[in-house]
Amino acid sequence: MSIPNLEVFHKRAAAAEEEIAALKKQIEWLRQSIINNDSKLQTVSKDEYTKLEQENIKLKHRIAILKRTIEADIAKTQNEVKTNSCNVISIYDTLYNLFEKAICTAYKDVSKPPVIVTISSNPKFGDYQCNSAMPLSKLLNNNGVKTSPLDVAKSIMSNVEESNLVSKLEIAGAGFINVFLKREFAQTILSNLVKSGKVLPPETKKQRVVVDFSSPNIAKEMHVGHLRSTIIGESTARLLEFLGHDVLRINHVGDWGTQFGMLIAHLQDKFPDYLIVSPPITDLQTFYKESKKRFDEDQEFKTRAYKCVVQLQKFDPDMIKAWQLICDVSRKEFEKIYVRLDIKLIERGESYYQKHMETVVKELEAKGLLEEDEGRKVMWSKHGNEIPLTIIKSDGGFTYDTSDIAALKQRLEEERADWIIYVTDAGQSMHFQILCHCAERAGILKSYHRVDHIGFGVVLGPDKKKFKTRSGDTVKLNDLLDEGLKRALQKLKEKERDKVLTEEELKQAQESIAYGCIKYADLSHNRNHEYVFSFDKMLEDKGNTAVYLLYALTRIRSIARAANISQKQLQEHAQNTPISLEHEKEWKLAKVLIRFPDVLIKITKDLYLHQLCEYCYEISCAFTEFYDSCYCVEKNEHGEIVNINMGRMLLTEATALIMEKCFFILGLKPVTRM
């Protein structure tokens, strides 16, 4: 539920109040006129007098309606704000605003004062801390106002307004302000979560977002190099969609250019009847290698390949047919990978922007932004000291630079994107910086647009070198996923899960673990860093791994099943039963759970998804501590249930719901039994 636009509401209410005031003046005038029987009224006829009385009644009626409307709007707004804040409030933002206001009130003359709010590392010193006193004291002393951090802390604290989040504030040490949260606040948030059975997103400004990820090349198999872009891009898109943004997931495939000349020429030779009979190309990788070999070694073939490119760019029907055949074969192979990894994309290859490239080149030339450089036409950025974009090659053809600036223009102007995210390896960081600088210079990219490059390090093998097969070839993504399935099944059989799971359950667990561990191993690392790909480490059932977390959620869900309590019953109990937060371990778990909105908000700012993985692990560890210390279901020596602590069962349900939402964003698929 979104919070209503309060500014619009207040304007509307103010206008209504003004109208009421005007109506009251009219009524008062009529009333005084009737009482005083003044000269103005004596000049009117009886009919006119009756008309004035009726007008008086109508005015009073209108006032009553306006008052009821305002009261109803206020009640509705307060209810919606209250409902929203109970579910998706950002604790960090709320505390930050509280202390910012207090500091600005206490020190009106300080411009942009430091507001520092952190999570407390020790529950003895509160749940959060405001650490602004020391830097603020230093700032004041530098400006000639002698004061101590302790005095500053006291001044800040005395100006902090009451909040439904804060139980109490304490000053510790040299001026730290310790913040203790209200348990009732957490109870309300988590109870509402269980009642609805849905995890709601925090309030954000909705935007049109383009996420450009995966981007393999046609006629080449997807390999381990595409893994990170595909996985990181998918989770980024899922996060933004959950937050309510309008997300366009783009697969900017390489489906245009010189390589298609050699592929088409080779197709003509190998399958001369391709226009009539669909060629049986099953191994496109081999087909590509054959054409590349001929292109490098046979001058006549090379010349013919270039002619094919020219004809293709002129949209010759036969060339387009050959091109489509080759693209379709690749597309089917890509789709197999995407289905296995549960990836959703809309393909818009370089060919999609062909006409857009022609248009943008004309516009750049008309603006005098292209310069001759050894036969090429290049564009320098607004900084002028960077590598230029090559817009037109010496042979008159377009480049990746042309395609990228045309795509950026199309996304901003036709798709109306507010925010564009590119997910590629870190090596392309400089290219996107230059692209954005050139787009700003051309007036394509405006100050209100946001563009981010999610760069990442390479995947390494056990030898800490770029991940390759033993023969030195690039690892095919299909083979990698097959190996994951094989290893996951081995792991399950080692644990003798094949003896207790049905065949279908075993298959579901195998796929959940195999694909989950590959995704999680990637996402749990800081994306800027390289990481070593190791199935052995991925499949460990201890520590911050997908296997451990998937098992943890399965175990959490099994608690209610063992007690014969359905999710619907838990929702019903949540209507009247408060969530138990008396025990320190209950409270510790609850404090982790209610941080969920803050974790997501932070990720939207820096786009580091490993923070969500760390959060999942933190939930799991806090739940383990809670479960080890606090019984949910009590049994006698015969294994019979003698008592169910419903307040703790509700806390367990809240934990499961938040973990499931985290898993969905990360692309993990939990199973009922593992």
Side-chain angles (χ1 to χ4, degrees):
M1 183 183 294
S2 61
I3 296 178
N5 190 325
L6 294 181
E7 185 179 350
V8 171
F9 166 74
H10 286 308
K11 284 181 180 178
R12 195 175 73 210
E17 291 286 5
E18 286 178 11
E19 189 174 352
I20 287 173
L23 291 173
K24 282 182 175 179
K25 283 182 180 179
Q26 286 182 266
I27 290 173
E28 181 61 22
W29 179 83
L30 285 170
R31 191 178 69 81
Q32 290 297 330
S33 297
I34 291 168
I35 292 171
N36 298 329
N37 193 26
D38 66 19
S39 58
K40 289 182 182 178
L41 206 57
Q42 289 174 12
T43 61
V44 302
S45 66
K46 184 177 180 181
D47 289 342
E48 286 176 311
Y49 180 78
T50 303
K51 187 178 178 181
L52 284 171
E53 278 191 317
Q54 289 173 345
E55 187 66 27
N56 184 18
I57 294 168
K58 287 180 183 178
L59 289 172
K60 285 184 176 180
H61 183 62
R62 284 183 64 193
I63 287 176
I65 292 172
L66 279 167
K67 279 187 172 180
R68 284 199 300 270
T69 301
I70 290 174
E71 287 168 0
D73 278 352
I74 289 172
K76 183 181 176 183
T77 301
Q78 287 176 340
N79 183 55
E80 288 182 348
V81 172
K82 181 180 178 183
T83 302
N84 191 292
S85 66
C86 286
N87 282 286
V88 293
I89 193 166
S90 164
I91 296 171
Y92 176 83
D93 286 351
T94 303
L95 293 178
Y96 184 96
N97 292 335
L98 273 176
F99 283 107
E100 181 181 46
K101 189 173 182 180
I103 292 168
C104 291
T105 301
Y107 300 98
K108 294 183 176 65
D109 297 331
V110 178
S111 176
K112 295 181 180 179
V115 183
I116 304 168
V117 176
T118 62
I119 297 172
S120 177
S121 57
N122 189 333
K124 290 181 181 179
F125 304 116
D127 305 311
Y128 286 78
Q129 285 183 331
C130 174
N131 300 333
S132 299
M134 280 181 275
L136 187 54
S137 171
K138 186 176 180 181
L139 185 64
L140 290 166
N141 284 314
N142 289 341
N143 291 335
V145 180
K146 299 300 178 184
T147 185
S148 69
L150 189 60
D151 289 336
V152 171
K154 288 177 181 178
S155 182
I156 294 172
M157 199 168 86
S158 66
N159 283 282
V160 175
E161 295 178 350
E162 284 190 21
S163 168
N164 64 343
L165 270 75
V166 180
S167 170
K168 65 175 180 176
L169 300 174
E170 288 181 352
I171 296 176
F176 301 105
I177 302 176
N178 297 333
V179 182
F180 295 82
L181 298 180
K182 285 183 180 177
R183 300 196 185 202
E184 296 81 5
F185 167 75
Q187 276 182 321
T188 304
I189 290 178
L190 298 177
S191 289
N192 285 349
L193 169 60
V194 177
K195 286 175 191 175
S196 67
K198 291 191 297 185
V199 180
L200 299 177
E203 179 68 15
T204 53
K205 180 185 176 184
K206 305 302 181 278
Q207 293 182 297
R208 173 73 160 163
V209 189
V210 172
V211 184
D212 180 331
F213 66 103
S214 194
S215 308
N217 288 315
I218 292 292
K220 295 181 181 179
E221 285 191 83
M222 290 182 74
H223 53 78
V224 72
H226 298 110
L227 183 67
R228 301 207 75 182
S229 174
T230 304
I231 290 172
I232 294 170
E234 173 67 23
S235 286
T236 301
R238 287 186 181 213
L239 169 63
L240 296 175
E241 286 164 348
F242 172 65
L243 293 172
H245 296 295
D246 180 13
V247 180
L248 180 60
R249 301 144 159 265
I250 293 294
N251 196 10
H252 189 83
V253 299
D255 67 346
W256 205 249
T258 306
Q259 75 271 25
F260 280 94
M262 68 184 194
L263 287 166
I264 292 170
H266 188 53
L267 180 72
Q268 290 172 331
D269 293 344
K270 196 163 185 176
F271 303 102
D273 59 350
Y274 75 90
L275 291 172
I276 305 166
V277 181
S278 183
I281 306 174
T282 54
D283 188 350
L284 202 54
Q285 187 80 358
T286 300
F287 186 85
Y288 181 90
K289 287 180 179 178
E290 290 171 355
S291 64
K292 183 70 168 68
K293 189 173 186 296
R294 292 182 69 189
F295 185 84
D296 292 339
E297 298 175 0
D298 185 340
Q299 187 58 44
E300 185 276 330
F301 178 83
K302 189 173 188 175
T303 302
R304 189 154 56 89
Y306 278 127
K307 288 180 180 178
C308 287
V309 172
V310 173
Q311 288 177 289
L312 176 64
Q313 291 177 344
K314 290 180 179 179
F315 297 95
D316 176 88
D318 289 356
M319 297 297 109
I320 291 294
K321 172 73 173 176
W323 171 75
Q324 286 175 335
L325 284 169
I326 293 165
C327 288
D328 285 345
V329 174
S330 263
R331 209 169 275 125
K332 288 174 184 175
E333 292 304 310
F334 296 160
E335 189 58 24
K336 290 176 184 176
I337 299 288
Y338 295 143
V339 168
R340 294 178 76 173
L341 291 175
D342 194 19
I343 309 295
K344 302 291 188 296
L345 279 158
I346 295 173
E347 183 185 306
R348 284 198 186 159
E350 292 166 9
S351 61
Y352 179 87
Y353 302 101
Q354 182 65 22
K355 294 295 183 183
H356 294 85
M357 285 190 262
E358 294 170 7
T359 302
V360 79
V361 166
K362 288 177 184 176
E363 290 180 7
L364 295 176
E365 285 183 320
K367 291 178 179 179
L369 297 174
L370 300 186
E371 297 180 20
E372 291 284 343
D373 181 58
E374 297 180 355
R376 304 177 302 159
K377 287 188 178 180
V378 301
M379 179 180 180
W380 293 91
S381 75
K382 64 177 184 178
H383 298 290
N385 58 352
E386 297 171 330
I387 300 168
L389 294 183
T390 300
I391 303 299
I392 302 177
K393 295 189 292 185
S394 55
D395 63 3
F398 297 147
T399 68
Y400 291 123
D401 292 346
T402 326
S403 172
D404 280 347
I405 198 163
L408 180 61
K409 178 179 169 65
Q410 189 273 338
R411 292 165 183 179
L412 292 173
E413 296 179 1
E414 293 182 20
E415 299 296 345
R416 301 290 181 186
D418 304 297
W419 184 5
I420 295 176
I421 300 172
Y422 297 97
V423 189
T424 73
D425 64 272
Q428 296 189 50
S429 176
M430 182 57 70
H431 166 72
F432 287 112
Q433 284 182 36
I434 296 168
L435 175 68
C436 289
H437 291 157
C438 285
E440 287 170 3
R441 186 181 173 213
I444 295 169
L445 186 63
K446 305 294 197 302
S447 60
Y448 50 80
H449 293 131
R450 176 179 174 182
V451 178
D452 285 295
H453 174 229
I454 297 182
F456 50 80
V458 299
V459 182
L460 305 177
D463 58 358
K464 303 290 179 71
K465 295 179 181 178
K466 205 167 182 179
F467 194 26
K468 293 184 180 293
T469 64
R470 289 182 180 178
S471 61
D473 293 331
T474 303
V475 179
K476 296 177 182 178
L477 201 44
N478 224 23
D479 293 343
L480 189 74
L481 298 181
D482 287 343
E483 181 67 17
L485 285 173
K486 178 183 168 186
R487 297 286 193 102
L489 186 58
Q490 285 175 349
K491 189 77 173 178
L492 287 164
K493 286 183 175 179
E494 284 174 16
K495 300 287 185 181
E496 298 187 338
R497 304 312 296 162
D498 55 319
K499 295 179 181 178
V500 294
L501 299 176
T502 66
E503 189 175 335
E504 181 60 27
E505 287 174 336
L506 185 65
K507 184 175 182 293
Q508 289 176 352
Q510 178 191 13
E511 291 181 352
S512 173
I513 291 171
Y515 303 147
C517 78
I518 290 171
K519 291 179 181 181
Y520 195 82
D522 192 306
L523 295 169
S524 61
H525 287 85
N526 183 318
R527 58 177 170 79
N528 286 334
H529 303 157
E530 300 169 332
Y531 81 94
V532 176
F533 191 96
S534 168
F535 274 119
D536 290 338
K537 288 185 178 179
M538 289 178 190
L539 291 167
E540 287 180 358
D541 54 10
K542 292 184 178 66
N544 190 10
T545 67
V547 178
Y548 171 75
L549 292 172
L550 285 165
Y551 176 72
L553 179 57
T554 301
R555 189 177 64 137
I556 291 169
R557 278 287 180 212
S558 71
I559 296 168
R561 284 200 307 272
N564 296 316
I565 302 174
S566 67
Q567 191 169 0
K568 186 178 180 181
Q569 287 173 318
L570 287 168
Q571 286 178 280
E572 291 170 355
H573 280 292
Q575 303 297 327
N576 303 307
T577 306
I579 286 179
S580 180
L581 297 182
E582 294 303 313
H583 194 282
E584 62 170 321
K585 298 300 181 184
E586 295 171 339
W587 180 224
K588 181 179 180 180
L589 174 59
K591 285 187 292 183
V592 175
L593 296 177
I594 61 177
R595 277 185 26 234
F596 176 67
D598 286 337
V599 173
L600 299 192
I601 290 169
K602 188 172 188 307
I603 295 172
T604 62
K605 293 175 182 176
D606 58 29
L607 299 174
Y608 284 102
L609 284 159
H610 70 275
Q611 296 169 107
L612 187 57
C613 298
E614 290 170 355
Y615 177 67
C616 285
Y617 185 57
E618 189 178 356
I619 292 174
S620 182
C621 292
F623 183 84
T624 299
E625 289 184 31
F626 151 73
Y627 193 68
D628 289 345
S629 303
C630 309
Y631 75 83
C632 295
V633 179
E634 194 173 4
K635 297 180 180 180
N636 61 21
E637 63 272 17
H638 304 296
E640 299 166 333
I641 296 174
V642 294
N643 187 34
I644 295 175
N645 188 314
M646 193 53 66
R648 289 173 179 170
M649 291 297 294
L650 296 177
L651 182 56
T652 298
E653 175 66 10
T655 304
L657 288 169
I658 291 177
M659 283 189 77
E660 284 169 349
K661 183 56 68 177
C662 292
F663 283 9
F664 174 77
I665 293 169
L666 295 170
L668 306 186
K669 286 187 176 180
V671 291
T672 305
R673 299 182 69 204
M674 184 178 290

